Amino acid sequence: MLKNLLKKLGGDFILSVSAVVIFNGVIQFLLNPYLTEQLGADKFGTVIYLISLISVVGAFGTAANYSRMVVTAKRECSNGDYNRYFLVVAGIVLAVSAVGLVALKSFDPLYFVGYAALMFMTILRYYGDVEYRLSCNFKGYFVFYLLVAIGYIVGILLFRFTGSWVVTMLIGEALAILFVGLKGKIFKPPFLKKSVNYKENTKAVWTLVPANLVQTVILNADRILVMFFVGAYDVTVFYVATLIGKIVALVTVPLEGLVISYLNKYEDKIS
């Protein structure tokens, strides 16, 4: 049994790493270079700043992801418990999106709607992979991130018609969420029905939010600060200069997720 478990663990690790490598490879070697070429270094610096804000609030999705992993092993929870949490997060997204765009002194209502939609869909994507981590279904996990990458590529191909980096990225996020919605369980109805442990589950997720926010702020503060104290062009230069270190740091993400998934599923057998 141990041999089979180790074999599955090795296979799942390869799938997990492959998913992250493909996803980030498309971003770093296709999407970002293409947007830089099309928009220019100055405008792309602004895009990096806006994406950094999305990464910061992505903490709300990560918190829900880890919370559901832990809570599911301990007590009953429902989709409604987390959907109610995301209703509050949606309000926060609107506020952050508005402030982020107003800070650029270029607020446009249509751009605001698209940017807020991208921010919220990205948060849902951060949460969405818990569907596969809960069951240690890393084939599904791989497909999930592969669809995001494919969506980005489709967005690149359509950029000449849309002219919007927001639409380019939104396609990838939407494909992944649609996949979970159709094949998974976490986005199924009843959408707002509370479980008997609603209060405990809500407390658990909000308890994790501050720690995740601190982490994402630390990881993205450099680009945000450079934007306001130096300029958009320098954000692009700074981003490229620090790219290798950030990519290497991402290798720990699939390993961390894999370990948590297996501990969650096999906790009783291990103890």
Side-chain angles (χ1 to χ4, degrees):
M1 179 179 176
L2 180 60
K3 183 179 179 180
N4 291 334
L5 180 61
L6 290 175
K7 183 178 179 181
K8 186 178 187 306
L9 182 64
D12 287 344
F13 179 69
I14 292 173
L15 285 171
S16 184
V17 171
S18 298
V20 174
V21 168
I22 292 173
F23 169 67
N24 284 286
V26 168
I27 292 175
Q28 308 302 345
F29 300 111
L30 291 178
L31 179 62
N32 287 349
Y34 180 80
L35 291 178
T36 303
E37 180 183 351
Q38 296 299 314
L39 301 175
D42 195 60
K43 288 185 178 179
F44 182 67
T46 302
V47 170
I48 290 296
Y49 152 74
L50 291 171
I51 291 175
S52 296
L53 288 182
I54 292 176
S55 297
V56 168
V57 297
F60 290 100
T62 305
N65 187 309
Y66 285 129
S67 172
R68 187 148 193 175
M69 284 287 296
V70 174
V71 164
T72 300
K74 293 182 177 180
R75 56 181 178 265
E76 178 189 347
C77 65
S78 69
N79 292 342
D81 293 348
Y82 291 90
N83 290 338
R84 287 171 177 270
Y85 160 79
F86 282 118
L87 286 177
V88 178
V89 172
I92 296 173
V93 164
L94 292 175
V96 173
S97 299
V99 171
L101 292 175
V102 168
L104 295 176
K105 300 178 181 178
S106 59
F107 185 87
D108 175 82
L110 187 59
Y111 193 65
F112 165 71
V113 171
Y115 180 60
L118 175 61
M119 184 178 287
F120 187 66
M121 290 294 285
T122 303
I123 290 172
L124 288 182
R125 192 252 299 165
Y126 277 44
Y127 166 67
D129 70 34
V130 76
E131 173 72 40
Y132 307 104
R133 294 173 63 197
L134 279 171
S135 57
C136 291
N137 176 11
F138 284 92
K139 289 181 180 179
Y141 182 90
F142 175 81
V143 173
F144 178 81
Y145 279 100
L146 180 63
L147 285 174
V148 182
I150 291 173
Y152 287 166
I153 293 173
V154 172
I156 290 172
L157 296 175
L158 295 177
F159 185 84
R160 66 175 65 182
F161 305 106
T162 65
S164 171
W165 70 271
V166 170
V167 173
T168 299
M169 298 191 70
L170 193 55
I171 293 172
E173 307 299 339
L175 272 181
I177 299 305
L178 181 62
F179 174 65
V180 177
L182 293 175
K183 297 292 186 178
K185 299 177 181 179
I186 63 172
F187 292 133
K188 296 291 187 184
F191 296 110
L192 298 176
K193 183 178 179 180
K194 300 178 183 178
S195 72
V196 294
N197 301 305
Y198 171 70
K199 290 184 178 180
E200 293 89 340
N201 296 340
T202 301
K203 181 180 179 181
V205 66
W206 282 109
T207 299
L208 290 176
V209 167
N212 282 277
L213 274 175
V214 168
Q215 182 181 30
T216 56
V217 167
I218 291 173
L219 288 173
N220 294 278
D222 49 6
R223 284 163 277 180
I224 296 172
L225 292 174
V226 170
M227 177 68 188
F228 289 106
F229 287 100
V230 185
Y233 178 84
D234 296 278
V235 173
T236 301
V237 174
F238 186 83
Y239 173 75
V240 172
T242 60
L243 186 58
I244 302 245
K246 292 181 185 294
I247 291 177
V248 171
L250 288 171
V251 175
T252 62
V253 174
L255 179 59
E256 177 186 89
L258 186 69
V259 170
I260 293 175
S261 296
Y262 270 79
L263 286 176
N264 184 67
K265 185 174 182 178
Y266 296 104
E267 181 180 6
D268 293 336
K269 294 181 181 181
I270 293 174
S271 58

